[in-house]
Amino acid sequence: MRNLLVIAVLIALCTVGAESFRVRRQDTEEEGTMTLVMDSLKGYYDTTITTASGYLDNLKGMRLEEKAKNLFEETTTAVKTYGGILQDQLYHLFTQSH
């Protein structure tokens, strides 16, 4: 019976020692994993920023802002012109009937 108790205590001590070693090893692995994950995220972020900057440079190169401004001005001019024509037509329609 005492031999069984001594063996149980030794197994328990070995198990505790093995578990503590295992936890340390997992901590080291988790730190390595976290470092890898953070490095990957930083890489993705840098790639995204670089790609977005490239797209913005391309858009500026196409001069889309200038084209949009010209389109707005042309549309505004056309609406004013046709609005004026419509106003004249309505004015003449109502003044001739009186």
Side-chain angles (χ1 to χ4, degrees):
M1 181 93 161
R2 287 186 186 198
N3 289 339
L4 187 60
L5 182 62
V6 171
I7 292 173
V9 170
L10 287 175
I11 291 175
L13 289 174
C14 289
T15 305
V16 170
E19 285 298 319
S20 65
F21 177 73
R22 182 178 225 169
V23 170
R24 286 186 198 133
R25 196 170 108 205
Q26 285 178 348
D27 287 344
T28 305
E29 289 175 0
E30 287 178 8
E31 288 176 9
T33 303
M34 287 301 290
T35 303
L36 289 173
V37 169
M38 292 304 290
D39 289 344
S40 296
L41 290 176
K42 286 178 185 176
Y44 291 138
Y45 177 77
D46 291 340
T47 303
T48 303
I49 294 298
T50 304
T51 305
S53 296
Y55 288 151
L56 286 175
D57 290 340
N58 286 340
L59 290 176
K60 287 181 181 177
M62 291 182 203
R63 297 183 180 166
L64 289 179
E65 293 173 7
E66 184 178 327
K67 290 179 182 179
K69 181 180 174 185
N70 290 340
L71 180 64
F72 176 75
E73 289 174 356
E74 291 171 3
T75 303
T76 304
T77 303
V79 168
K80 285 181 183 178
T81 301
Y82 289 113
I85 292 170
L86 181 62
Q87 183 181 3
D88 283 345
Q89 293 295 320
L90 291 174
Y91 175 75
H92 288 294
L93 180 70
F94 289 125
T95 56
Q96 287 178 358
S97 36
H98 289 308

